[in-house]
Amino acid sequence: MFKALDPLLHQQLRLSIVSLLASVESADFNFLLEKTEATKGNLSVQISKLKDAEYLEVNKSFKNNYPHTTCKLTQKGRKAFEAYVEAIQEYLKPNN
Amino acid sequence: MFKALDPLLHQQLRLSIVSLLASVESADFNFLLEKTEATKGNLSVQISKLKDAEYLEVNKSFKNNYPHTTCKLTQKGRKAFEAYVEAIQEYLKPNN
DNA sequence: ATAATTTGGTTTATAATATAAACTTGTTTA
DNA sequence: TAAACAAGTTTATATTATAAACCAAATTAT
């Protein structure tokens, strides 16, 4: 009846992150922080989880002497996002 | 940027229940059990939560000597479902 | 110079949540 | 009358989400 929803994406902050990254080449920590309005701790944790699942590629470097983290959606992440979008649509239209 | 997702509805089983109830007048425990393929315990718990939030009206009676539970979406529940559907759409289309 | 503040995060303690296993109450069948 | 079944509920456990506390280095103020 209903397809299972990828638990990694069926969470508000992680879904926000992936949704944002779906439309840009890459984004840095502060961009995601501002757009999602999450706390830094929460954002850090959720980025890590997405990275561990290989949904994100995370790059750490230095920019103007400060640490600088950028994130980019992987193919695997993009596929998962597309599948999630497909799957949840079924739940959203009353007609089952 | 992203609207908050009602945590009561942003959960697979509860969303399934509400989605199913959105298109019928009412449904009984076993109907929901079959459609959602949940365990009885999980279904019972999630129905209770939706009831506590007044998203569902739950009616217990007897049918052929056995307990019989039916659920019906309330106006509040329907509104919440509609709002959830609106809200999550923003996450689903890459374009933020 | 050095103390205080800021930047850009990470770690971890706590609270909240989801889930299935175990239980309950009554009914039917063997 | 014992075993199996119906229709759920309760509760123990595992998982998860979240924010508070922390950290290292850089900058600014005194």
Side-chain angles (χ1 to χ4, degrees), chain A residues 11-77:
Chain A
Q11 196 263 25
Q12 197 172 149
L13 182 49
R14 286 194 301 267
L15 187 60
S16 302
I17 295 168
V18 169
S19 177
L20 287 165
L21 290 175
S23 47
V24 297
E25 243 302 293
S26 86
D28 63 22
F29 193 90
N30 272 307
F31 175 85
L32 295 173
L33 198 60
E34 281 168 27
K35 292 287 187 178
T36 62
E37 295 172 80
T39 60
K40 291 185 293 172
N42 198 4
L43 183 58
S44 177
V45 167
Q46 305 310 333
I47 286 174
S48 281
K49 290 189 181 181
L50 290 168
K51 182 198 172 183
D52 290 350
E54 297 176 355
Y55 284 10
L56 259 52
E57 218 179 280
V58 177
N59 204 281
K60 282 155 203 278
S61 62
F62 280 85
K63 190 185 178 183
N64 309 326
N65 287 338
Y66 285 114
H68 188 237
T69 301
T70 63
C71 303
K72 183 182 186 328
L73 205 56
T74 61
Q75 261 311 304
K76 189 172 176 185

Side-chain angles (χ1 to χ4, degrees), chain B residues 53-68:
Chain B
E54 297 177 356
Y55 284 10
L56 259 52
E57 218 180 281
V58 177
N59 205 283
K60 283 155 203 277
S61 62
F62 281 85
K63 190 184 177 184
N64 309 329
N65 285 342
Y66 285 113
H68 188 238

Side-chain angles (χ1 to χ4, degrees), chain B residues 20-33:
Chain B
L20 287 166
L21 290 175
S23 48
V24 297
E25 244 301 294
S26 86
D28 63 23
F29 194 91
N30 272 308
F31 175 85
L32 295 173
L33 198 59

Side-chain angles (χ1 to χ4, degrees), chain B residues 17-80:
Chain B
I17 295 167
V18 169
S19 178
L20 287 166
L21 290 175
S23 48
V24 297
E25 244 301 294
S26 86
D28 63 23
F29 194 91
N30 272 308
F31 175 85
L32 295 173
L33 198 59
E34 282 167 28
K35 292 286 186 177
T36 62
E37 297 173 78
T39 58
K40 291 185 295 174
N42 197 4
L43 183 58
S44 176
V45 167
Q46 306 310 334
I47 286 174
S48 280
K49 289 189 181 180
L50 291 168
K51 183 198 171 181
D52 291 349
E54 297 177 356
Y55 284 10
L56 259 52
E57 218 180 281
V58 177
N59 205 283
K60 283 155 203 277
S61 62
F62 281 85
K63 190 184 177 184
N64 309 329
N65 285 342
Y66 285 113
H68 188 238
T69 301
T70 63
C71 303
K72 183 181 187 325
L73 205 58
T74 62
Q75 259 312 303
K76 189 173 176 184
R78 187 172 300 275
K79 286 285 179 196

